[in-house]
Coordinates of all heavy atoms in Angstrom, one line a residue:
R98 N -0.5 -4.9 -16.1 CA -1.7 -4.4 -15.6 C -1.8 -4.8 -14.1 O -1.6 -5.9 -13.7 CB -2.9 -5.0 -16.4 CG -4.2 -4.5 -15.8 CD -5.3 -5.1 -16.7 NE -6.5 -5.2 -15.9 CZ -7.6 -4.5 -16.2 NH1 -7.6 -3.7 -17.3 NH2 -8.6 -4.6 -15.4
M99 N -2.2 -3.8 -13.2 CA -2.3 -4.0 -11.8 C -3.6 -4.8 -11.5 O -4.6 -4.5 -12.0 CB -2.3 -2.7 -11.0 CG -1.0 -1.9 -11.2 SD 0.4 -2.7 -10.5 CE 0.5 -1.9 -8.9
K100 N -3.5 -5.7 -10.5 CA -4.6 -6.5 -10.0 C -4.8 -6.2 -8.5 O -3.8 -6.2 -7.8 CB -4.4 -8.0 -10.2 CG -5.5 -8.8 -9.7 CD -5.2 -10.3 -9.8 CE -6.2 -11.1 -9.1 NZ -5.9 -12.5 -9.1
T101 N -6.0 -5.8 -8.1 CA -6.2 -5.5 -6.7 C -6.3 -6.8 -5.9 O -7.0 -7.7 -6.3 CB -7.5 -4.7 -6.5 OG1 -7.4 -3.5 -7.2 CG2 -7.8 -4.5 -5.1
I102 N -5.4 -6.9 -4.9 CA -5.4 -8.1 -4.1 C -6.0 -7.9 -2.7 O -6.3 -8.9 -2.0 CB -4.0 -8.7 -4.0 CG1 -3.0 -7.7 -3.4 CG2 -3.5 -9.2 -5.3 CD1 -1.6 -8.3 -3.1
A103 N -6.2 -6.7 -2.3 CA -6.9 -6.4 -1.0 C -7.4 -5.0 -1.0 O -6.9 -4.1 -1.7 CB -5.9 -6.5 0.1
R104 N -8.5 -4.8 -0.3 CA -9.1 -3.4 -0.2 C -9.4 -3.1 1.3 O -9.7 -4.0 2.1 CB -10.5 -3.4 -0.9 CG -10.4 -3.4 -2.4 CD -11.7 -3.3 -3.0 NE -11.7 -3.4 -4.5 CZ -11.3 -2.4 -5.3 NH1 -11.1 -1.2 -4.8 NH2 -11.3 -2.6 -6.6
D105 N -9.4 -1.9 1.6 CA -9.7 -1.4 3.0 C -9.0 -2.2 4.1 O -9.7 -2.7 5.0 CB -11.3 -1.4 3.2 CG -12.0 -0.5 2.2 OD1 -11.5 0.6 1.9 OD2 -13.0 -0.9 1.7
V106 N -7.7 -2.3 4.0 CA -6.9 -3.0 4.9 C -6.8 -2.2 6.2 O -6.3 -1.0 6.1 CB -5.5 -3.3 4.3 CG1 -4.6 -4.0 5.4 CG2 -5.7 -4.2 3.1
R107 N -7.1 -2.8 7.3 CA -7.0 -2.1 8.6 C -6.1 -2.8 9.5 O -6.3 -4.0 9.7 CB -8.4 -1.9 9.2 CG -9.4 -1.2 8.4 CD -10.7 -0.9 9.1 NE -11.7 -0.4 8.2 CZ -11.7 0.8 7.6 NH1 -10.7 1.6 7.8 NH2 -12.7 1.1 6.8
T108 N -5.1 -2.1 10.1 CA -4.2 -2.7 11.0 C -4.2 -1.7 12.2 O -4.7 -0.6 12.2 CB -2.8 -2.8 10.5 OG1 -2.2 -1.5 10.4 CG2 -2.8 -3.5 9.1
R109 N -3.5 -2.1 13.3 CA -3.5 -1.3 14.5 C -2.6 0.0 14.2 O -2.7 1.0 14.9 CB -2.9 -2.0 15.7 CG -1.5 -2.4 15.5 CD -0.9 -3.2 16.7 NE -0.7 -2.2 17.7 CZ 0.0 -2.4 18.8 NH1 0.6 -3.6 18.9 NH2 0.2 -1.5 19.7
W110 N -1.8 0.0 13.1 CA -0.9 1.1 12.7 C -1.6 2.1 11.8 O -1.1 3.2 11.6 CB 0.3 0.5 12.1 CG 1.1 -0.4 13.0 CD1 1.2 -1.7 12.9 CD2 1.7 0.0 14.2 NE1 1.9 -2.2 13.9 CE2 2.2 -1.2 14.8 CE3 1.9 1.2 14.9 CZ2 2.9 -1.3 16.0 CZ3 2.6 1.1 16.1 CH2 3.1 -0.1 16.6
G111 N -2.7 1.6 11.1 CA -3.3 2.5 10.1 C -4.0 1.7 9.1 O -4.2 0.5 9.2
T112 N -4.5 2.4 8.1 CA -5.2 1.8 7.0 C -4.6 2.0 5.6 O -3.8 2.9 5.4 CB -6.7 2.3 6.9 OG1 -6.6 3.7 6.6 CG2 -7.4 2.1 8.2
I113 N -4.9 1.0 4.8 CA -4.4 1.1 3.4 C -5.7 0.9 2.5 O -6.4 0.0 2.7 CB -3.4 0.1 3.0 CG1 -2.2 0.2 3.9 CG2 -3.0 0.2 1.5 CD1 -1.2 -0.9 3.8
D114 N -6.0 1.9 1.6 CA -7.2 1.8 0.9 C -7.2 0.6 -0.1 O -8.3 0.0 -0.3 CB -7.4 3.1 0.1 CG -7.7 4.3 1.0 OD1 -8.4 4.1 2.0 OD2 -7.1 5.3 0.8
R115 N -6.1 0.3 -0.7 CA -6.1 -0.8 -1.7 C -4.6 -1.3 -1.8 O -3.7 -0.5 -1.7 CB -6.6 -0.2 -3.0 CG -6.9 -1.3 -4.0 CD -7.6 -0.7 -5.3 NE -6.6 0.0 -6.1 CZ -6.8 1.3 -6.3 NH1 -7.8 2.0 -5.9 NH2 -5.9 1.9 -7.1
I116 N -4.5 -2.6 -2.1 CA -3.2 -3.1 -2.4 C -3.3 -3.8 -3.7 O -4.2 -4.6 -4.0 CB -2.8 -4.2 -1.3 CG1 -2.7 -3.5 0.1 CG2 -1.4 -4.8 -1.6 CD1 -2.5 -4.4 1.3
D117 N -2.4 -3.4 -4.6 CA -2.4 -3.9 -6.0 C -1.1 -4.6 -6.3 O -0.1 -4.4 -5.6 CB -2.5 -2.7 -7.0 CG -3.8 -1.9 -6.9 OD1 -4.8 -2.5 -6.4 OD2 -3.8 -0.8 -7.4
R118 N -1.2 -5.5 -7.2 CA 0.0 -6.3 -7.6 C 0.1 -6.5 -9.1 O -0.9 -6.8 -9.7 CB 0.1 -7.6 -6.9 CG 1.3 -8.4 -7.2 CD 1.5 -9.7 -6.5 NE 2.7 -10.4 -6.9 CZ 3.2 -11.4 -6.3 NH1 2.5 -12.0 -5.3 NH2 4.2 -12.0 -6.8
T119 N 1.3 -6.5 -9.6 CA 1.6 -6.9 -11.0 C 3.0 -7.5 -11.0 O 3.9 -6.9 -10.5 CB 1.5 -5.7 -12.0 OG1 1.7 -6.3 -13.3 CG2 2.4 -4.6 -11.7
G120 N 3.1 -8.7 -11.4 CA 4.4 -9.4 -11.4 C 5.1 -9.4 -10.1 O 4.5 -9.9 -9.1
D121 N 6.3 -8.8 -10.0 CA 7.1 -8.8 -8.8 C 6.9 -7.5 -8.0 O 7.6 -7.2 -7.1 CB 8.5 -9.0 -9.1 CG 9.2 -7.8 -9.8 OD1 8.4 -7.0 -10.4 OD2 10.4 -7.8 -9.9
L122 N 5.8 -6.7 -8.3 CA 5.6 -5.4 -7.7 C 4.3 -5.4 -6.9 O 3.3 -5.8 -7.5 CB 5.6 -4.3 -8.8 CG 5.1 -2.9 -8.3 CD1 6.2 -2.3 -7.4 CD2 4.9 -2.0 -9.5
V123 N 4.4 -4.9 -5.7 CA 3.2 -4.7 -4.9 C 3.1 -3.1 -4.6 O 4.1 -2.5 -4.2 CB 3.2 -5.4 -3.5 CG1 2.1 -4.9 -2.6 CG2 3.1 -6.9 -3.8
A124 N 1.9 -2.6 -4.9 CA 1.7 -1.2 -4.7 C 0.6 -1.0 -3.6 O -0.4 -1.6 -3.6 CB 1.2 -0.5 -5.9
F125 N 1.0 -0.2 -2.5 CA 0.1 0.1 -1.5 C -0.5 1.5 -1.8 O 0.2 2.5 -2.0 CB 0.8 0.2 -0.1 CG 1.4 -1.1 0.2 CD1 2.8 -1.4 -0.1 CD2 0.7 -2.1 0.9 CE1 3.3 -2.6 0.3 CE2 1.2 -3.3 1.2 CZ 2.5 -3.6 0.9
V126 N -1.8 1.5 -2.0 CA -2.5 2.7 -2.6 C -3.4 3.4 -1.5 O -4.2 2.7 -0.9 CB -3.3 2.3 -3.8 CG1 -4.0 3.6 -4.4 CG2 -2.5 1.6 -4.9
N127 N -3.2 4.7 -1.3 CA -4.1 5.4 -0.5 C -4.8 6.5 -1.4 O -4.2 7.0 -2.3 CB -3.3 6.2 0.6 CG -3.0 5.2 1.8 OD1 -3.9 4.5 2.2 ND2 -1.8 5.2 2.2
V128 N -6.1 6.7 -1.1 CA -6.9 7.6 -1.8 C -7.1 8.8 -1.0 O -7.7 8.8 0.1 CB -8.2 7.0 -2.2 CG1 -9.1 8.0 -3.0 CG2 -8.0 5.7 -3.0
A129 N -6.5 10.0 -1.4 CA -6.6 11.2 -0.7 C -6.1 12.3 -1.5 O -5.5 12.1 -2.6 CB -5.7 11.1 0.6
D130 N -6.3 13.6 -1.1 CA -5.8 14.7 -1.8 C -4.3 14.8 -1.6 O -3.6 15.2 -2.5 CB -6.5 16.0 -1.3 CG -7.9 16.1 -1.8 OD1 -8.2 15.6 -2.9 OD2 -8.7 16.7 -1.0
R131 N -3.9 14.5 -0.4 CA -2.4 14.5 -0.1 C -2.2 13.7 1.1 O -3.1 13.3 1.9 CB -1.9 15.9 0.2 CG -2.6 16.6 1.3 CD -2.1 18.1 1.4 NE -2.8 18.7 2.5 CZ -2.3 18.8 3.8 NH1 -1.2 18.3 4.0 NH2 -3.0 19.4 4.7
V132 N -0.9 13.3 1.3 CA -0.5 12.6 2.5 C 0.7 13.3 3.2 O 1.7 13.5 2.5 CB -0.1 11.1 2.1 CG1 0.4 10.4 3.3 CG2 -1.3 10.4 1.5
D133 N 0.5 13.6 4.4 CA 1.6 14.3 5.1 C 2.6 13.2 5.7 O 2.4 12.0 5.5 CB 1.1 15.2 6.2 CG 0.3 14.4 7.3 OD1 0.3 13.2 7.3 OD2 -0.4 15.1 8.1
V134 N 3.7 13.7 6.3 CA 4.7 12.8 6.8 C 4.1 11.8 7.8 O 4.5 10.6 7.8 CB 5.8 13.6 7.5 CG1 6.8 12.7 8.2 CG2 6.5 14.5 6.5
R135 N 3.2 12.2 8.7 CA 2.6 11.3 9.7 C 1.8 10.2 8.9 O 1.8 9.1 9.3 CB 1.7 12.1 10.6 CG 1.1 11.3 11.7 CD 0.3 12.3 12.6 NE -0.5 11.5 13.5 CZ -1.5 11.9 14.2 NH1 -1.9 13.2 14.1 NH2 -2.1 11.1 15.0
G136 N 1.1 10.6 7.9 CA 0.3 9.6 7.1 C 1.2 8.7 6.4 O 0.9 7.5 6.3
Q137 N 2.4 9.1 5.9 CA 3.3 8.3 5.3 C 3.9 7.2 6.2 O 4.0 6.0 5.9 CB 4.5 9.1 4.7 CG 4.1 9.9 3.5 CD 5.3 10.8 3.1 OE1 6.4 10.6 3.5 NE2 5.0 11.8 2.3
R138 N 4.2 7.7 7.4 CA 4.7 6.8 8.5 C 3.6 5.7 8.8 O 3.9 4.5 8.9 CB 5.1 7.6 9.7 CG 5.8 6.8 10.8 CD 6.4 7.7 11.9 NE 5.6 8.9 12.2 CZ 6.0 10.1 12.0 NH1 7.2 10.3 11.4 NH2 5.3 11.1 12.3
R139 N 2.4 6.1 9.0 CA 1.3 5.2 9.3 C 1.1 4.2 8.1 O 0.9 3.0 8.4 CB 0.0 5.9 9.5 CG -0.1 6.4 10.9 CD -1.5 6.9 11.2 NE -1.5 8.3 10.7 CZ -2.5 9.2 10.8 NH1 -3.6 8.8 11.3 NH2 -2.4 10.4 10.5
A140 N 1.2 4.6 6.9 CA 1.0 3.8 5.7 C 2.1 2.7 5.7 O 1.9 1.5 5.4 CB 1.0 4.6 4.4
R141 N 3.4 3.1 6.0 CA 4.5 2.2 6.0 C 4.3 1.1 7.1 O 4.5 -0.1 6.9 CB 5.8 2.9 6.2 CG 6.3 3.6 5.0 CD 7.7 4.1 5.2 NE 8.1 4.9 4.1 CZ 8.2 6.2 4.1 NH1 7.9 6.9 5.1 NH2 8.6 6.9 3.0
R142 N 3.9 1.6 8.3 CA 3.7 0.6 9.4 C 2.5 -0.3 9.0 O 2.6 -1.5 9.3 CB 3.4 1.4 10.6 CG 4.6 2.0 11.2 CD 4.3 2.8 12.5 NE 5.5 3.4 13.0 CZ 5.4 4.4 13.9 NH1 4.3 4.9 14.3 NH2 6.5 5.0 14.3
A143 N 1.4 0.2 8.4 CA 0.3 -0.7 8.1 C 0.7 -1.7 7.0 O 0.3 -2.8 7.1 CB -0.8 0.2 7.6
A144 N 1.6 -1.3 6.1 CA 2.1 -2.2 5.0 C 2.9 -3.3 5.6 O 2.8 -4.5 5.3 CB 2.9 -1.4 4.0
I145 N 3.8 -2.9 6.6 CA 4.6 -4.0 7.2 C 3.7 -4.9 8.0 O 3.9 -6.2 7.9 CB 5.7 -3.3 8.1 CG1 6.7 -2.6 7.3 CG2 6.3 -4.3 9.1 CD1 7.6 -1.6 8.1
A146 N 2.7 -4.4 8.7 CA 1.8 -5.3 9.4 C 1.1 -6.2 8.5 O 0.9 -7.4 8.7 CB 0.8 -4.5 10.3
W147 N 0.6 -5.7 7.4 CA -0.1 -6.5 6.4 C 0.8 -7.6 5.8 O 0.4 -8.8 5.7 CB -0.7 -5.7 5.2 CG -1.4 -6.5 4.2 CD1 -2.7 -6.9 4.2 CD2 -0.8 -6.9 3.0 NE1 -2.9 -7.6 3.1 CE2 -1.8 -7.7 2.3 CE3 0.5 -6.8 2.4 CZ2 -1.6 -8.3 1.1 CZ3 0.7 -7.4 1.2 CH2 -0.3 -8.2 0.5
M148 N 2.0 -7.2 5.5 CA 3.0 -8.2 4.9 C 3.2 -9.3 6.0 O 3.4 -10.5 5.6 CB 4.3 -7.6 4.5 CG 4.1 -6.7 3.3 SD 5.6 -6.0 2.6 CE 6.1 -4.8 3.9
A149 N 3.3 -9.0 7.2 CA 3.6 -10.0 8.3 C 2.5 -11.1 8.4 O 2.8 -12.2 8.7 CB 3.8 -9.3 9.6
V150 N 1.3 -10.7 8.1 CA 0.2 -11.7 8.3 C -0.3 -12.3 6.9 O -1.2 -13.1 6.9 CB -1.0 -11.0 9.0 CG1 -0.7 -10.7 10.4 CG2 -1.6 -9.9 8.3
N151 N 0.4 -11.8 5.8 CA 0.0 -12.4 4.5 C 1.3 -12.8 3.8 O 1.5 -12.4 2.6 CB -0.7 -11.3 3.7 CG -2.1 -11.0 4.3 OD1 -3.0 -11.8 4.1 ND2 -2.2 -9.9 5.0
P152 N 2.1 -13.7 4.3 CA 3.3 -14.1 3.7 C 3.0 -14.8 2.3 O 3.9 -14.8 1.4 CB 4.0 -15.0 4.7 CG 2.9 -15.5 5.6 CD 1.9 -14.4 5.6
E153 N 1.9 -15.5 2.2 CA 1.6 -16.2 1.0 C 1.4 -15.3 -0.2 O 1.7 -15.7 -1.4 CB 0.4 -17.1 1.1 CG -0.9 -16.4 1.2 CD -1.3 -15.7 2.6 OE1 -0.5 -15.9 3.5 OE2 -2.3 -15.1 2.7
L154 N 1.1 -14.1 0.1 CA 0.9 -13.1 -1.0 C 2.2 -12.4 -1.4 O 2.3 -11.5 -2.2 CB -0.2 -12.0 -0.6 CG -1.6 -12.6 -0.5 CD1 -2.5 -11.5 0.0 CD2 -2.1 -13.2 -1.8
Q155 N 3.3 -12.7 -0.7 CA 4.6 -12.1 -0.9 C 5.5 -12.9 -1.9 O 6.5 -12.4 -2.3 CB 5.3 -12.0 0.4 CG 4.6 -11.2 1.5 CD 4.2 -9.8 1.0 OE1 5.1 -9.1 0.5 NE2 3.0 -9.5 1.0
R156 N 5.0 -14.1 -2.2 CA 5.9 -15.0 -3.1 C 6.1 -14.3 -4.4 O 5.2 -13.9 -5.1 CB 5.2 -16.3 -3.3 CG 5.2 -17.2 -2.1 CD 4.8 -18.6 -2.4 NE 4.6 -19.3 -1.1 CZ 3.4 -19.6 -0.6 NH1 2.3 -19.3 -1.2 NH2 3.4 -20.2 0.5
G157 N 7.4 -14.2 -4.8 CA 7.8 -13.6 -6.0 C 7.8 -12.1 -6.0 O 8.2 -11.5 -7.0
V158 N 7.5 -11.4 -4.9 CA 7.6 -10.0 -4.9 C 9.0 -9.5 -4.6 O 9.6 -10.0 -3.7 CB 6.6 -9.4 -3.8 CG1 6.7 -7.9 -3.6 CG2 5.2 -9.8 -4.1
Q159 N 9.5 -8.6 -5.4 CA 10.8 -8.0 -5.2 C 10.8 -6.5 -5.0 O 11.7 -6.0 -4.5 CB 11.7 -8.3 -6.4 CG 11.9 -9.8 -6.6 CD 12.7 -10.1 -7.8 OE1 13.3 -9.2 -8.5 NE2 12.9 -11.4 -8.1
R160 N 9.7 -5.9 -5.3 CA 9.6 -4.4 -5.2 C 8.3 -4.0 -4.6 O 7.2 -4.6 -4.8 CB 9.7 -3.8 -6.6 CG 10.9 -4.1 -7.4 CD 10.9 -3.5 -8.8 NE 9.9 -4.1 -9.6 CZ 9.2 -3.5 -10.5 NH1 9.4 -2.2 -10.7 NH2 8.3 -4.1 -11.2
Y161 N 8.3 -2.9 -3.8 CA 7.2 -2.4 -3.1 C 7.1 -0.9 -3.5 O 8.1 -0.3 -3.6 CB 7.2 -2.6 -1.6 CG 7.3 -4.0 -1.2 CD1 8.5 -4.7 -1.1 CD2 6.1 -4.7 -1.0 CE1 8.5 -6.0 -0.7 CE2 6.1 -6.0 -0.7 CZ 7.3 -6.7 -0.5 OH 7.3 -8.0 -0.2
R162 N 5.9 -0.4 -3.6 CA 5.7 1.0 -3.9 C 4.5 1.6 -3.2 O 3.5 0.8 -2.9 CB 5.5 1.1 -5.4 CG 5.3 2.4 -6.0 CD 5.3 2.3 -7.5 NE 3.9 2.1 -7.9 CZ 3.5 1.7 -9.2 NH1 4.5 1.5 -10.1 NH2 2.3 1.4 -9.4
F163 N 4.6 2.8 -2.8 CA 3.4 3.5 -2.2 C 2.9 4.5 -3.2 O 3.6 5.4 -3.6 CB 3.9 4.2 -0.9 CG 4.2 3.2 0.2 CD1 5.5 2.7 0.3 CD2 3.2 2.8 1.1 CE1 5.8 1.8 1.3 CE2 3.5 1.9 2.1 CZ 4.8 1.4 2.2
D164 N 1.6 4.4 -3.5 CA 1.0 5.3 -4.5 C -0.1 6.1 -3.8 O -0.7 5.7 -2.8 CB 0.3 4.5 -5.6 CG 1.3 3.8 -6.5 OD1 2.5 4.0 -6.3 OD2 0.8 3.0 -7.3
L165 N -0.3 7.3 -4.3 CA -1.4 8.2 -3.9 C -2.3 8.4 -5.0 O -1.9 8.7 -6.1 CB -0.8 9.5 -3.4 CG -1.8 10.6 -3.0 CD1 -2.5 10.1 -1.7 CD2 -1.1 11.9 -2.7
E166 N -3.6 8.0 -4.8 CA -4.6 8.2 -5.8 C -5.4 9.4 -5.4 O -6.1 9.4 -4.4 CB -5.5 7.0 -6.0 CG -6.4 7.0 -7.2 CD -7.1 5.7 -7.4 OE1 -6.4 4.7 -7.7 OE2 -8.3 5.6 -7.2
T167 N -5.4 10.5 -6.3 CA -6.1 11.7 -6.0 C -7.4 11.8 -6.9 O -7.5 11.0 -7.9 CB -5.2 12.9 -6.3 OG1 -4.9 12.9 -7.7 CG2 -4.0 12.8 -5.5
P168 N -8.3 12.7 -6.6 CA -9.5 12.8 -7.5 C -9.1 13.1 -8.9 O -9.8 12.7 -9.8 CB -10.2 14.0 -6.9 CG -9.8 14.0 -5.4 CD -8.4 13.5 -5.4
G169 N -7.9 13.7 -9.2 CA -7.5 14.0 -10.5 C -6.7 12.8 -11.2 O -6.4 12.9 -12.4
G170 N -6.5 11.8 -10.5 CA -5.8 10.6 -11.0 C -4.7 10.1 -10.1 O -4.4 10.7 -9.1
R171 N -4.1 9.0 -10.5 CA -3.1 8.3 -9.6 C -1.8 8.9 -9.8 O -1.3 9.2 -10.9 CB -3.1 6.8 -10.0 CG -2.2 6.0 -9.2 CD -2.2 4.6 -9.7 NE -1.8 3.6 -8.7 CZ -2.2 2.4 -8.7 NH1 -3.0 1.9 -9.6 NH2 -1.7 1.6 -7.8
V172 N -1.1 9.1 -8.7 CA 0.3 9.6 -8.7 C 1.1 8.4 -8.1 O 0.9 8.0 -6.9 CB 0.5 10.8 -7.8 CG1 1.9 11.3 -7.8 CG2 -0.4 11.9 -8.3
S173 N 2.0 7.8 -8.8 CA 2.7 6.6 -8.4 C 4.0 7.0 -7.6 O 4.6 8.0 -7.8 CB 3.1 5.8 -9.6 OG 2.0 5.3 -10.3
D174 N 4.3 6.1 -6.8 CA 5.6 6.1 -6.0 C 5.9 7.4 -5.4 O 6.9 8.1 -5.6 CB 6.7 5.7 -7.0 CG 7.9 5.1 -6.3 OD1 7.8 4.8 -5.1 OD2 9.0 5.0 -6.9
V175 N 4.9 7.8 -4.5 CA 5.0 9.1 -3.9 C 5.9 9.1 -2.6 O 6.4 10.2 -2.2 CB 3.7 9.7 -3.5 CG1 2.9 10.0 -4.8 CG2 2.8 8.8 -2.7
F176 N 6.0 8.0 -1.9 CA 6.9 7.9 -0.7 C 7.3 6.5 -0.5 O 7.0 5.6 -1.1 CB 6.2 8.5 0.5 CG 4.9 7.9 0.9 CD1 4.9 6.9 1.8 CD2 3.7 8.3 0.3 CE1 3.7 6.3 2.2 CE2 2.5 7.8 0.7 CZ 2.5 6.8 1.6

């Protein structure tokens, strides 16, 4: 079961709506109808920036995933 560890993360590179974790997996979640290539690039940069300033939340993490949550439900590992 995923546990939310951060919400509304804002960096100079972009925003991440929610960051969830379960075991060795961290999921960066954006809530939108769709995400274009530019949005994917911003989300990756924002995730890297967040990881750089939160090393204590990285312990034990081996996998990262980017999810898109749409009004119809969550779509995992979209980019």
